[in-house]
Amino acid sequence: MSNPRLSLALEGGLVLAETGRIAVFGPQADTDLSALPMERCHVIQPFLPDNEHLRLSGFDCDVKAHGEYVAAIVFLPRSKPWARALIAQASKLVAGGVLIVDGQKTDGVESMLKECRKRVDVSGVISKSHGKVFWFEASADFQDWEEAPQDVGDGLMTVPGVFSADGIDPASAFLGDTLPAKLGRYVADFGAGWGYLSSRILTNEHVEALHLVEADHRALDCARRNVTDPRAQFHWADATRWQTPVNLDSVVMNPPFSAAN
């Protein structure tokens, strides 16, 4: 999304080191990064469509942070636990450097600013375009916000920010309970998430290979931990463009409706 907050911040007191890499957490395909030096940015974006778009735009993109950084910017996701985890990770990576947080009001930026102010001295705040950007010196004051896997029962785990992170999605549970007995030998789970439906599919002994197709790399990492059956094959891919290596007998997808409807 295009907004002038970063430019205004850089004009109004935010100072970035003249050299060194800048970690950029969670920008979307339409996020305006023009105020940042592209050649110094390391974009961390685990959602494949956004990752690919930014990479094709010229940014160095990855799914995880690595190496050294002099500064970091966190574009807030809507999941507050994941937002906290990103701030904790960024603060640890650039301890002593500047940490910038940017978000819309709908992303909870107001409450995040209040929470951060209880822990650190916020150096500056810019309000613009229905959101805020604020910055402070990174420190170790966010250790209790670090990402922690969550046990959702039956030996399954998730992480903050993935779909249905707090437990099994009711619609997925319903689909799992009503899967047909005959799925064929070769099956794909489109939008496999953290692997719940895949674990149900693999209770069928007639399935010879199951392809888990998921665009969220963090969710797919959870699926790798949750689904250890050797018949499972994992693909970080956009299901709308994924090319199957074999002719499939069945495709299973999480129902595109709310269980409340």
Side-chain angles (χ1 to χ4, degrees):
M1 63 192 71
S2 177
N3 75 69
R5 288 192 294 266
L6 276 177
S7 296
L8 290 172
L10 289 166
E11 295 169 2
L14 172 60
V15 178
L16 293 175
E18 294 184 0
T19 60
R21 291 198 309 162
I22 302 167
V24 185
F25 290 89
Q28 297 177 358
D30 61 349
T31 300
D32 183 3
L33 301 177
S34 60
L36 300 173
M38 177 184 288
E39 71 280 1
R40 294 174 55 198
C41 290
H42 184 216
V43 172
I44 298 97
Q45 174 53 270
F47 186 60
L48 183 62
D50 291 331
N51 182 296
E52 287 185 331
H53 181 92
L54 291 162
R55 178 171 51 81
L56 291 173
S57 298
F59 287 94
D60 176 18
C61 296
D62 212 331
V63 296
K64 296 179 181 179
H66 60 81
E68 297 181 354
Y69 305 94
V70 296
I73 178 167
V74 172
F75 289 95
L76 292 178
R78 290 197 174 185
S79 165
K80 181 167 282 188
W82 187 21
R84 288 173 177 154
L86 287 176
I87 290 173
Q89 182 184 4
S91 190
K92 188 175 182 179
L93 286 169
V94 298
V98 65
L99 198 164
I100 308 154
V101 179
D102 183 274
Q104 298 295 106
K105 290 182 179 179
T106 52
D107 298 327
V109 69
E110 299 274 10
S111 62
M112 191 58 67
L113 173 58
K114 291 178 182 178
E115 290 190 35
C116 288
R117 275 181 161 153
K118 295 177 182 179
R119 295 167 177 259
V120 294
D121 293 326
V122 174
S123 302
V125 181
I126 300 288
S127 299
K128 193 73 174 178
S129 304
H130 307 290
K132 292 182 185 292
V133 59
F134 61 92
W135 60 95
F136 52 88
E137 181 180 313
S139 67
D141 293 299
F142 298 94
Q143 289 181 343
D144 59 314
W145 282 8
E146 291 182 5
E147 181 175 289
Q150 179 172 337
D151 185 345
V152 293
D154 296 327
L156 302 171
M157 57 78 60
T158 68
V159 291
V162 302
F163 173 72
S164 192
D166 295 331
I168 298 166
D169 171 56
S172 295
F174 176 78
L175 178 55
D177 290 340
T178 55
L179 285 171
K182 294 182 179 180
L183 288 170
R185 296 188 299 166
Y186 304 110
V187 182
D189 181 358
F190 281 2
W194 48 262
Y196 169 74
L197 274 173
S198 293
S199 68
R200 297 292 301 270
I201 294 166
L202 288 168
T203 62
N204 188 320
E205 62 182 12
H206 300 293
V207 173
E208 294 183 13
L210 173 63
H211 297 273
L212 288 76
V213 183
E214 173 55 50
D216 183 347
H217 200 279
R218 297 172 72 247
L220 194 64
D221 277 346
C222 292
R224 292 180 194 276
R225 296 176 61 175
N226 291 330
V227 183
T228 58
D229 192 299
R231 293 174 291 168
Q233 300 180 33
F234 301 88
H235 306 272
W236 185 43
D238 182 340
T240 64
R241 294 187 288 117
W242 177 68
Q243 297 294 312
T244 174
V246 296
N247 290 328
L248 298 172
D249 296 304
S250 301
V251 172
V252 177
M253 293 185 290
N254 180 67
F257 56 82
S258 168
N261 289 339

